[in-house]
Amino acid sequence: MLDFAAMRATLAGAYDLAPSMQLAEEMREIHARMDRVVPLADFARHAPYIRAINRLKAEKNAVILAHNYMTPEIYHGVADVVGDSLQLAIEATKVEAGTIVQCGVHFMAETSKILNPAKRVLIPDMAAGCSLAESITAEGIATMRAQYPGAPVVSYVNTTAEVKAASDICCTSSNAAQIVAALPEETIIMTPDQYLAQNVARQVPHKKVVWWAGSCIVHEQYTTEDITEFRKWNPDTRVIAHPECPPSVVAASDFSGSTSGIIDYVAREKPQKAMLVTECSMASNISDALPEVDFVGPCNMCPYMKKITLEKILWSLHTDGPEVFVAPEIAAKARIAVERMIELSRAVAK
Ligand code: 13P
Ligand code: SF4
């Protein structure tokens, strides 16, 4: 458990972290990437942290890999690479710096460690979990295998290293349908996201997809009523849903894709109004780059992703911790499942 008082006292002694309008003005170039969603007065609180983190990153030869759900001050202020789960996994294999600071949730940090074991991988808050990763264990995989003998197990990357190690191949929201379609077996076990599995089953009707009953606490909250009600008084809104949403929600939407798939779609189509049926920070992060788009409608926050803050990133770099470890025998097996996914993704993209 983080001792916030001790952390703040140490940081205040080591860095100049007082809010500063002058510094905010000096860092206008960074602020310009988020000024539609972060007022300058607010940026004045973030600026000292952004400066300290960026200096420390250079001093300590560290890179920050940040998920698309990070808040704008992280996404635009300190991240070296941003992306969806697949992009971050691929980027992790390419990191040359000695330290990766994973700004996302724990399974993402584990994936980086699995793919690039020689690097020190830090996560600013060890409690940044995921309801999907928590929903299944390696025993759960064994139960599914016993129920469907011979069927391969495709596990979402939103799982622990132990679960990946017990699986045949991984998938992310950007390649799940292609991976299921490319496997030779007719029956495919998908874990742990029942909704992703059901959405894939609709895209790949010639396969029998069976699933584990996990769900994402952020996306399961959306309902078709949210969308139909919203469309009634906002008929020209483009509705874009993440495939962790229930299939009825995805069916009621105009497009569904991974977080980066959603960003690419909005950037390409530039609808006048867009409702992103996913985590809140997505719209905030792309708002300045797409001033012609009005982001409307409800959004839900991921309490795990939101555990990562500028303050904890600075603490992580200051203390070189907390570090993520994966037992080498588990990592070796999990690496096979993740690398198979990356290879298959590349092959189908050609
Ligand atoms: P993406 O791979 O689409 O970024 O999704 C990760 C995630 O956790 C979404 O909830
Ligand atoms: Fe997990 Fe859902 Fe949060 Fe993504 S949004 S990290 S799937 S709980």
Side-chain angles (χ1 to χ4, degrees):
M1 272 284 272
L2 260 178
D3 179 344
F4 278 92
M7 170 181 78
R8 284 181 184 148
T10 307
L11 289 179
Y15 308 94
D16 179 4
L17 298 173
S20 164
M21 274 308 262
Q22 193 193 326
L23 185 61
E25 294 284 357
E26 284 166 24
M27 292 168 69
R28 261 193 182 280
E29 209 184 304
I30 294 179
H31 181 239
R33 302 176 207 149
M34 60 186 115
D35 65 0
R36 252 183 117 188
V37 288
V38 181
L40 191 66
D42 249 343
F43 186 70
R45 285 187 303 112
H46 300 313
Y49 285 89
I50 293 173
R51 175 180 60 183
I53 290 167
N54 287 335
R55 282 182 182 164
L56 216 48
K57 254 187 348 186
E59 258 173 53
K60 297 209 166 189
N61 187 27
V63 292
I64 292 185
L65 304 187
H67 186 259
N68 291 326
Y69 289 166
M70 290 294 101
T71 50
E73 64 276 11
I74 296 174
Y75 187 91
H76 292 296
V78 299
D80 296 291
V81 175
V82 292
D84 66 12
S85 310
L86 179 64
Q87 290 169 327
L88 294 181
I90 292 171
E91 288 301 324
T93 66
K94 301 179 192 161
V95 168
E96 285 177 5
T99 299
I100 295 171
V101 183
Q102 195 84 35
C103 292
V105 291
H106 191 263
F107 76 80
M108 295 176 176
E110 273 192 341
T111 305
S112 292
K113 185 70 184 173
I114 289 164
L115 290 172
N116 207 339
K119 306 299 170 188
R120 172 161 44 197
V121 178
L122 309 177
I123 184 159
D125 192 329
M126 275 288 183
C130 167
S131 66
L132 281 168
E134 283 153 22
S135 74
I136 189 161
T137 59
E139 289 74 46
I141 301 283
T143 307
M144 291 296 277
R145 285 196 195 276
Q147 239 177 310
Y148 301 98
V153 174
V154 180
S155 284
Y156 200 25
V157 282
N158 298 39
T159 46
T160 60
E162 286 80 7
V163 167
K164 289 183 176 76
S167 307
D168 295 292
I169 187 166
C170 287
C171 73
T172 71
S173 56
S174 65
N175 57 24
Q178 289 102 314
I179 285 182
V180 168
L183 292 172
E185 292 84 356
E186 203 195 313
T187 302
I188 312 284
I189 299 167
M190 285 191 79
T191 73
D193 188 349
Q194 58 184 309
Y195 296 134
L196 178 71
Q198 289 162 24
N199 286 316
V200 166
R202 288 165 62 128
Q203 289 176 277
V204 191
H206 59 290
K207 299 278 184 186
K208 181 182 174 203
V209 178
V210 294
W211 53 79
W212 185 258
S215 57
C216 160
I217 54 165
V218 175
H219 294 92
E220 70 180 357
Q221 293 181 50
Y222 290 108
T223 63
T224 36
E225 289 72 45
D226 289 335
I227 298 176
T228 42
E229 275 303 304
F230 199 81
R231 281 204 200 270
K232 257 190 226 161
W233 49 280
N234 265 302
D236 52 349
T237 301
R238 205 77 68 88
V239 178
I240 305 143
H242 193 276
E244 287 169 14
C245 294
S248 55
V249 170
V250 170
S253 306
D254 298 296
F255 176 78
S256 175
S258 77
T259 54
S260 289
I262 292 173
I263 293 173
D264 293 346
Y265 175 87
V266 181
R268 192 172 61 242
E269 296 277 317
K270 297 194 175 57
Q272 245 178 22
K273 286 186 193 170
M275 174 174 164
L276 305 193
V277 187
T278 187
E279 214 273 348
C280 272
S281 290
M282 281 277 290
S284 312
N285 288 338
I286 56 177
S287 190
D288 273 83
L290 297 166
E292 57 279 76
V293 182
D294 250 346
F295 292 95
V296 294
C299 70
N300 295 328
M301 248 193 295
C302 174
Y304 304 108
M305 290 278 183
K306 265 46 205 182
K307 286 199 174 290
I308 309 299
T309 61
L310 285 177
E311 187 179 50
K312 290 182 203 166
I313 297 170
L314 181 57
W315 184 240
S316 195
L317 280 162
H318 182 80
T319 57
D320 296 318
E323 187 170 353
V324 173
F325 295 99
V326 181
E329 62 285 3
I330 296 287
K333 287 188 192 154
R335 192 173 307 121
I336 295 172
V338 180
E339 283 180 349
R340 266 193 198 141
M341 166 189 80
I342 294 176
E343 277 159 32
L344 197 55
S345 269
R346 284 197 178 121
V348 293
K350 273 184 193 156

